[in-house]
Amino acid sequence: MTQTETLPGETSATTTAPPSTATSSQESPARSVGSEVRRVDGPLKVTGTAPYAYEHEVEDPCYLWPVVSTIARGTIAAIDTAAALAVPGVIGVLTHEDAPRLRVRTDAELWVLQNADVHHRNQIVAGVIAETPEAAREGAELVEITYVEQPAKIHFDPQDPEATSPRLVLMRPGTETKGDLEQGWREAAYRIDQEYAHPAQFHAQMEPHAVTAVWHDTSALDPRATRLTLLDGNQGPIAHRMLLAPLLGLLPHQLEIVSPYVGGGFGGKALPHPHLVLAALAAKVVGPRPVKLALTRQLMFALTGHRGESSQHVRLGADAQGRLTAVEHVSTQGTARIKPSCDQAVFATRMMYAVPHRRTEHRVVELDIPPTTWMRAPGEFSGMFALECAMDELAHAAGLDPIELRVRNEPDVDPENGKHWGTRALIPCMRRGAELFGWSERQAPGQRREGEWLVGLGMAAASFPWTHFFGLFAGMRFTGGRYVVELQASDIGTGAHTVLRQIAADALGVGVDQVETDIGRTGVPMAFLAGGSSGTYEWGNAVVAASEKFRKRYGDAPPEGASVTARGGPPRGARSRSLHAFGAHFAEVAVSRVTAEVRVRRLLGVYAAGTIINPRTARSQMIGGMTMAMSGVLLEESYRDPRFGHVVNGDLAGYHVAAHADVPQMDVEFLPEFDPWFGATGAKGIGELSMVGTPASIANAIFNATGQRVREMPITPKRLLELEV
């Protein structure tokens, strides 16, 4: 889509869009953006030679095993380490009584081994260092701890009278109103008033959280010298340096972070977790020997964050023509008392549909549980599940096609703030999806049968916002006849090594084979982490700026070692626009009348996400996100014991995630689009967009198949049998 075109269902711009600074296909014969370049790191990964955090070869390493608490709240009265120290190969045991002191409490979750307080079950309370991982684990099992236990609050109740409403969520009002909600409710001819919910959900990255920590000789007087190196799998070093350096008494540049390959992040590796601090403390004790630590799958359920359990109360009112008169969305989420946080679950409700009267609110219930963290599409995943299921219920009540209901409530401007859209192609996504999926063949609920199977079709809209905090940097260096892109980006498996080379190649006017990437570490220009689906366009802005600065300074024949650093960011005026990526999801499911088993037969995602830098890697991201979302809505259910505070099924044997056999036919289509307000490449975020509408499309398809609504994830056979499907 050109900058002057307006797709059906969009609102044309009232001001001039900023020009793209990326080289156009007419200007560069070596154009790479938009082509299916194979992943440059593919050969290393399929041959098993790409080193992950635990696999880095270091000289004479020690091994570390955490000891975790067996109570949910209280204090440590005594620790007996004698039996652990007697194990052959055990070097030492760290406890709060003898661990090195931390300096600045940058994050309550990271304040490890500094006092006797226990804030949740499975909190790190000691660490055993040994010559082998086996000896470390054996020693950890022999550490004896006596506690003074205190009453703990573990069970999440959305009606909890102690629930509070945060004033701000991600620097925006936690609660907001527009118009007179009760007036809109009275004016409604059709009303939906329902609760939607999901349990706590957990990351299941293929690569476990692991780290190799090395303290260097600190006798040097040079304050610029590296003091600590962490070989870690993370989504970018910026947050780790900001939080860990002052915590450990270091200047930012004294902490080196290396993370060239990451086996899945999904938000869970964006921020540092307590095991990194434990490893740093242990390495300080045995330094300069390196210390290796890899968390077990069970410890990952306790120490690396999760998506908090939540309940979503949604009220929708519409007039006789199906136009919304009132929307209310109240999200209540369980959070950790030690480190409260809140997902932005109602943000999408504020901007998705035109409505004169609206109220949205976030609420949190503080519990004695481990801290929550970002998990792919935080907030939008749960909030849009509720909103899009409620919209489907409203369409059924009003006798309207679900797509038509959404078309009738399409806003001309952002309903929350009145800003004009950058681009908003939601209606084209829905109509193209309907055409591709055979939506016209959809029957009334419960009418399509194939033997024991009830078959249904469902759809849902999706949106994910522009994420921008501040513009950061990229470098361009010429060495050995090749251009090297340098920045603290991280390839978390999504193809950053590949797409950054494509962006730079076009901006420089060279072939992609002439460009290399130096990312995934400190020591190169500072960039934002891989999160919020912002990596490609945020990094791309900086890469284009560096490429243009390089060409301007050195021309087409740069000398060996020529280099520049440039800052990138969105175009001037971007904050005056409402910037989002949009999409539509379609699902076909079959539900057994005998066992209530749900089988997803087909999934389709149609997306308007700006310039698609690499269709091959982009399609892979969307299929991965749709699979993850399908897993969440059908399979992933956790059980936290209300007596003791631990997740009972905290491993991959009890917490089920989708396997290959569960994955149906999936199709992805990207609509042509260019959004200059996102920056030089015209690209938007994609990965999390695929998570947002998929759960509701499957839930709505189950209703179309059975005539029964299930409003709580996961939609298991048990819940369907309770409805007598």
Side-chain angles (χ1 to χ4, degrees):
M1 188 177 110
T2 65
Q3 296 175 27
T4 56
E5 292 178 59
T6 304
L7 290 173
E10 289 185 41
T11 307
S12 59
T14 56
T15 59
T16 303
S20 168
T21 56
T23 306
S24 71
S25 57
Q26 289 78 17
E27 296 169 338
S28 173
R31 184 161 180 81
S32 175
V33 167
S35 61
E36 295 197 355
V37 176
R38 292 182 179 273
R39 292 175 57 131
V40 298
D41 54 339
L44 290 175
K45 290 184 174 179
V46 300
T47 57
T49 54
Y52 290 83
Y54 197 77
E55 298 171 337
H56 288 275
E57 293 187 5
V58 291
E59 185 177 351
D60 193 23
C62 305
Y63 297 87
L64 177 64
W65 201 272
V67 179
V68 295
S69 64
T70 56
I71 65 170
R73 188 180 182 192
T75 57
I76 298 171
I79 298 181
D80 185 350
T81 63
L85 290 169
V87 174
V90 168
I91 298 170
V93 180
L94 286 181
T95 72
H96 70 279
E97 296 174 343
D98 56 13
R101 297 297 91 185
L102 300 174
R103 300 297 180 86
V104 180
R105 190 171 176 143
T106 54
D107 186 321
E109 180 185 5
L110 303 179
W111 200 245
V112 174
L113 302 187
Q114 299 302 292
N115 54 47
D117 297 335
V118 175
H119 300 282
H120 59 79
R121 176 71 179 262
N122 290 326
Q123 174 184 315
I124 293 175
V125 291
V128 177
I129 312 166
E131 298 289 351
T132 66
E134 294 81 7
R137 184 167 192 169
E138 182 180 353
E141 293 172 351
L142 295 175
V143 175
E144 295 184 5
I145 303 179
T146 304
Y147 299 96
V148 177
E149 194 167 359
Q150 299 172 1
K153 182 177 180 179
I154 296 166
H155 175 67
F156 170 68
D157 178 5
Q159 306 305 320
D160 193 318
E162 295 182 353
T164 59
S165 299
R167 186 176 67 87
L168 294 175
V169 176
L170 287 184
M171 305 307 295
R172 291 168 58 184
T175 301
E176 61 88 48
T177 60
K178 174 187 176 183
D180 185 335
L181 182 70
E182 294 310 314
Q183 176 186 335
W185 190 249
R186 290 191 300 270
E187 293 173 353
Y190 305 103
R191 299 184 179 94
I192 300 298
D193 187 344
Q194 296 294 348
E195 298 274 347
Y196 306 85
H198 69 77
Q201 295 180 330
F202 293 82
H203 300 88
Q205 300 101 333
M206 185 175 293
E207 178 200 20
H209 286 251
V211 62
T212 302
V214 188
W215 279 90
H216 305 285
D217 182 7
T218 57
S219 62
L221 298 179
D222 185 359
R224 296 169 296 180
T226 298
R227 299 297 200 265
L228 172 64
T229 296
L230 294 178
L231 305 169
D232 175 45
N234 59 60
Q235 295 176 224
I238 184 171
H240 289 58
R241 264 194 168 177
M242 290 174 61
L243 294 172
L244 293 177
L247 182 81
L248 296 166
L250 300 173
L251 297 172
H253 56 266
Q254 293 176 326
L255 175 58
E256 179 186 32
I257 308 289
V258 180
S259 181
Y261 299 99
V262 183
F266 314 114
K269 295 178 182 176
L271 301 175
H273 296 293
H275 70 284
L276 296 181
V277 182
L278 179 65
L281 295 177
K284 192 166 192 177
V285 169
V286 300
R289 290 185 69 182
V291 169
K292 285 179 174 283
L293 168 61
L295 296 183
T296 63
R297 195 60 67 172
Q298 292 85 352
L299 287 176
M300 284 175 59
F301 274 76
L303 297 176
T304 60
H306 62 281
R307 193 194 306 276
E309 184 175 4
S310 80
S311 176
Q312 315 284 324
H313 181 203
V314 178
R315 289 202 299 166
L316 302 182
D319 63 20
Q321 288 73 45
R323 293 183 175 85
L324 290 168
T325 60
V327 171
E328 183 177 33
H329 186 173
V330 178
S331 170
T332 306
Q333 178 184 332
T335 189
R337 191 187 311 277
I338 186 177
K339 183 183 174 182
S341 63
C342 185
D343 283 347
Q344 62 273 20
V346 306
F347 282 4
T349 301
R350 298 175 182 176
M351 50 68 61
M352 276 301 292
Y353 302 112
V355 59
H357 308 290
R358 181 185 67 239
R359 179 180 181 275
T360 60
E361 178 185 5
H362 295 93
R363 301 169 73 242
V364 294
V365 177
E366 293 187 5
L367 305 170
D368 298 306
I369 61 173
T372 59
T373 193
W374 296 328
M375 189 168 178
R376 204 173 195 178
E380 281 80 8
F381 177 81
S382 50
M384 283 286 279
F385 170 74
L387 176 64
E388 290 301 295
C389 285
M391 287 292 285
D392 197 75
E393 296 199 45
L394 181 62
H396 181 71
L400 290 172
D401 180 273
I403 295 177
E404 178 60 26
L405 175 69
R406 289 167 173 81
V407 171
R408 293 187 185 188
N409 290 283
E410 175 74 0
D412 293 332
V413 295
D414 188 324
E416 180 181 9
N417 51 39
K419 295 180 181 179
H420 288 278
W421 306 105
T423 54
R424 177 178 168 119
L426 175 58
I427 291 177
C429 286
M430 293 190 296
R431 289 181 171 160
R432 178 58 176 161
E435 176 187 354
L436 293 173
F437 205 68
W439 184 251
S440 61
E441 299 175 5
R442 180 173 180 265
Q443 299 180 25
Q447 296 304 302
R448 183 178 167 188
R449 301 191 176 191
E450 298 176 5
E452 73 173 81
W453 299 94
L454 301 171
V455 181
L457 304 182
M459 65 80 55
S463 174
F464 200 79
W466 175 59
T467 305
H468 174 74
F469 294 97
F470 39 80
L472 289 177
F473 302 88
M476 181 63 65
R477 182 179 301 277
F478 186 76
T479 180
R482 299 172 68 83
Y483 299 86
V484 182
V485 177
E486 301 175 325
L487 70 163
Q488 290 180 18
S490 180
D491 192 332
I492 56 176
T494 52
H497 276 290
T498 307
V499 299
L500 291 177
R501 296 185 192 198
Q502 293 179 259
I503 293 168
D506 283 6
L508 291 166
V510 300
V512 70
D513 59 340
Q514 294 178 256
V515 182
E516 294 183 354
T517 42
D518 183 1
I519 64 175
R521 67 179 183 90
T522 53
V524 290
M526 185 183 297
F528 197 64
L529 54 81
S533 292
S534 64
T536 297
Y537 63 79
E538 287 279 59
W539 301 333
N541 287 335
V543 169
V544 170
S547 300
E548 293 183 338
K549 183 177 180 180
F550 187 91
R551 275 286 179 255
K552 184 176 181 180
R553 178 174 297 180
Y554 297 109
D556 295 332
E560 175 69 19
S563 66
V564 299
T565 299
R567 184 170 185 170
R572 182 175 299 177
R575 293 190 183 277
S576 67
R577 292 295 178 125
S578 182
L579 303 176
H580 301 260
F582 292 93
H585 289 103
F586 293 79
E588 178 183 313
V589 305
V591 182
S592 171
R593 290 185 294 158
V594 178
T595 65
E597 173 191 359
V598 177
R599 292 185 182 177
V600 179
R601 291 183 170 181
R602 292 187 293 147
L603 285 176
L604 167 67
V606 179
Y607 306 103
T611 301
I612 303 303
I613 307 297
N614 187 325
R616 181 189 296 264
T617 58
R619 181 178 182 276
S620 178
Q621 277 205 60
M622 307 319 268
I623 288 177
M626 290 160 68
T627 301
M628 188 173 176
M630 181 189 74
S631 183
V633 74
L634 294 180
L635 301 175
E636 297 181 32
E637 188 164 26
S638 62
Y639 302 89
R640 191 178 296 279
D641 192 314
R643 302 166 298 170
F644 307 117
H646 67 295
V647 177
V648 178
N649 60 328
D651 55 41
L652 293 185
Y655 183 84
H656 295 295
V657 298
H660 286 284
D662 300 306
V663 180
Q665 173 188 337
M666 291 191 185
D667 294 303
V668 173
E669 180 164 311
F670 295 103
L671 298 187
E673 187 178 59
F674 183 95
D675 194 331
W677 297 101
F678 273 74
T681 65
K684 298 182 178 182
I686 58 173
E688 288 164 294
L689 181 65
S690 60
M691 288 283 293
V692 175
T694 300
S697 70
I698 293 172
N700 295 337
I702 291 172
F703 168 74
N704 182 246
T706 65
Q708 299 286 345
R709 291 279 180 190
V710 182
R711 302 181 179 91
E712 182 176 0
M713 292 190 272
I715 304 175
T716 59
K718 177 180 180 293
R719 290 195 169 97
L720 287 167
L721 286 170
E722 289 172 349
L723 296 173
E724 299 182 355
V725 169

